[in-house]
Amino acid sequence: MSLPGGARLYPVGQRLGELHEDGAGSRGVVVGTGERGVLVEDGDRADAWDAAHGLGHLVRHVAWDRSQLGGVLGGLPSPDLDRVVADLLDRGLVAEVDPGDPAATERFLATHRWFSRLGGLGQQERPGGFVCGIGVPGAPPVREVSPRVYEFWSLAPELPTLAAAADFLAASAVDDDGVEPEETDPAAVRLALLDWLHDLLCVGAGWLEVVR
Amino acid sequence: MSPAPLPGPSWVLPVGRSLGPRGAGYDVLAGRQVHELDPMSWVLWSLCHGLPGHRAPWTLADVELQATASGLADAVPLLDGLLERGLVTLAAPDDDAVLTRVRAVVQLPALGNTADDPDTFSLGTPEVPLVGLDRVTYDVVTSAHRFPDLAAAVASAAGLWFRAGAPALAGGDAAALGARVREALPLLLAVGAVHLELAPAGTPS
């Protein structure tokens, strides 16, 4: 079942770190979106792009939408928030997807792909079942996710689009023990994937890119 | 002091990324295939990444030495098994042709530069930069996942900097930049900044 809330906001692009020039302060964060990096200037835009990754303690409970973004940005007035989001949308630095709009969802899944960051730390048994750690080897995990999300995190970089990743996971789940029907249904996996993304984005465990 | 590079394909390059423990073994993902390794094979595969203090190509002799120090008595057959499964590949230490045989995928966060040292671009955790690179090598490493092999990533970055009017940053041409990237690989692998996949040209037949 999809998380409650409005259209999801996803950051697009690979964080390439801060850019300083000539001993001056930071000019902003560089985001790789294709052949060249895009400088997202310090201030509301960089803050909004960062905030679009989500907060770890919230993203499993609510859809990461404009209202969540506004909350993180400390009550930025709605017109200002809309202006900043519109600018990031125009520059291809965020994508906004309403799961209730099948055509828009399919378009997003067919035109974006996933790349993973950080290391896979493997399975741990918890009282509620198995979880999988993601982080830097030798350090505690920065995120524990379900085995299915871990599978997406592992394999999606090898697949050309999010849609292809969802279909691959649905097909490969057929042979798994104790599988639920929605895990083998490509349409259900595509919808679930919309929620998995922020589970990973919130800790920098990967990034989205537009398919070129 | 590191020994002088040996002639021939003695540079050990690990392929794939660890997915950590699962059950009694460990998983390593290479391409779309998950390889289940027994603990000893996984330890040896991990040793094939090198040590952060060792900036030269990590050789078969280095792996065997570390395996012995780790109490792995059967390193040679284990290494043969990793080679057969395509989880390790060998290259000549001073041959840039290796760049056509592997694709690199960045794993550590890219941190950018700092006001104190604007010429050094780092990868690491926000608290601990683990490797510092010049700007163009950083461009190659952070964009290499988009290219079929490292040589293509090098050619693209060199071309971009040439067109931007700063060919000197790339060392003048793709060959010079390729040598810098090759020389950076041992440290990048040792700290887990990147993992390697076999490029189509490097995949065993």
Side-chain angles (χ1 to χ4, degrees):
Chain A
M1 196 174 72
S2 196
L3 291 170
R8 279 93 164 120
L9 273 176
Y10 299 105
V12 176
Q14 175 191 14
R15 171 183 273 277
L16 296 177
E18 292 184 359
L19 178 65
H20 297 79
E21 288 184 343
D22 301 328
S26 169
R27 290 181 56 201
V29 61
V30 179
V31 178
T33 61
E35 195 176 55
R36 298 298 295 267
V38 175
L39 180 68
V40 184
E41 304 82 359
D42 280 337
D44 289 344
R45 285 167 178 75
D47 291 346
W49 189 78
D50 275 338
H53 289 71
L55 295 181
H57 63 288
L58 293 177
V59 295
R60 289 177 183 161
H61 306 291
V62 294
W64 204 251
D65 57 14
R66 287 192 190 217
S67 68
Q68 298 300 327
L69 198 68
V72 173
L73 294 176
L76 194 66
S78 181
D80 292 340
L81 177 65
D82 289 342
R83 179 177 46 77
V84 169
V85 171
D87 179 65
L88 293 176
L89 284 166
D90 284 347
R91 297 164 74 182
L93 294 170
V94 297
E96 191 166 31
V97 186
D98 179 359
D101 181 342
T105 298
E106 286 303 306
R107 191 162 54 247
F108 169 73
L109 294 172
T111 56
H112 292 76
R113 64 178 300 180
W114 175 261
F115 289 101
S116 296
R117 192 190 285 122
L118 301 176
L121 306 184
Q123 280 193 347
Q124 296 282 332
E125 190 163 13
R126 296 279 184 261
F130 282 100
V131 297
C132 299
I134 295 173
V136 177
V142 297
R143 193 75 170 167
E144 289 185 336
V145 298
S146 70
R148 199 61 77 196
V149 174
Y150 194 67
E151 194 176 11
F152 168 78
W153 174 85
S154 307
L155 288 164
E158 297 299 323
L159 293 151
T161 64
L162 294 175
D167 293 351
F168 184 88
L169 292 183
S172 62
V174 169
D175 297 326
D176 291 352
D177 294 331
V179 68
E180 300 291 338
E182 61 267 25
E183 294 177 282
T184 59
D185 174 7
V189 174
R190 287 179 180 210
L191 269 183
L193 191 156
L194 294 178
D195 292 334
W196 298 346
L197 293 174
H198 277 115
D199 202 5
L200 298 165
L201 288 165
C202 69
V203 291
W207 68 92
L208 292 165
E209 288 191 13
V210 174
V211 175
R212 304 284 172 189
Chain B
M1 194 176 80
S2 300
L6 300 171
S10 61
W11 184 8
V12 178
L13 294 156
V15 174
R17 65 188 314 196
S18 176
L19 298 182
R22 186 167 63 91
Y26 289 78
D27 285 343
V28 173
L29 180 69
R32 295 183 193 177
Q33 185 173 356
V34 177
H35 296 262
E36 297 178 29
L37 298 186
D38 62 81
M40 292 299 102
S41 294
W42 185 81
V43 167
L44 188 67
W45 177 81
S46 299
L47 290 175
C48 289
H49 288 70
L51 295 174
H54 185 102
R55 304 296 179 99
W58 192 242
T59 65
L60 287 166
D62 294 324
V63 173
E64 289 181 31
L65 185 64
Q66 290 301 317
T68 301
S70 302
L72 278 180
D74 298 324
V76 172
L78 290 176
L79 188 60
D80 286 344
L82 294 174
L83 283 162
E84 284 174 16
R85 298 173 79 169
L87 295 176
V88 167
T89 189
L90 301 177
D94 54 357
D95 186 357
D96 287 343
V98 68
L99 302 179
T100 66
R101 294 179 45 216
V102 293
R103 183 169 75 97
V105 183
V106 67
Q107 290 193 164
L108 285 178
L111 305 178
N113 65 352
T114 64
D116 291 340
D117 188 2
D119 295 330
T120 300
F121 288 73
S122 299
L123 297 158
T125 64
E127 301 80 16
V128 186
L130 291 172
V131 55
L133 302 168
D134 67 85
R135 184 166 188 171
V136 187
T137 304
Y138 181 82
D139 278 0
V140 172
V141 171
T142 55
S143 67
H145 61 278
R146 297 194 189 101
F147 296 91
D149 57 50
L150 258 174
V154 165
S156 175
L160 282 172
W161 284 98
F162 189 84
R163 290 196 294 278
L169 278 177
D173 57 29
L177 178 58
R180 288 218 302 274
V181 170
R182 173 176 53 77
E183 289 164 7
L185 264 183
L187 179 59
L188 290 166
L189 289 165
V191 302
V194 300
H195 81 267
L196 299 180
E197 298 282 350
L198 290 177
T203 305
S205 56

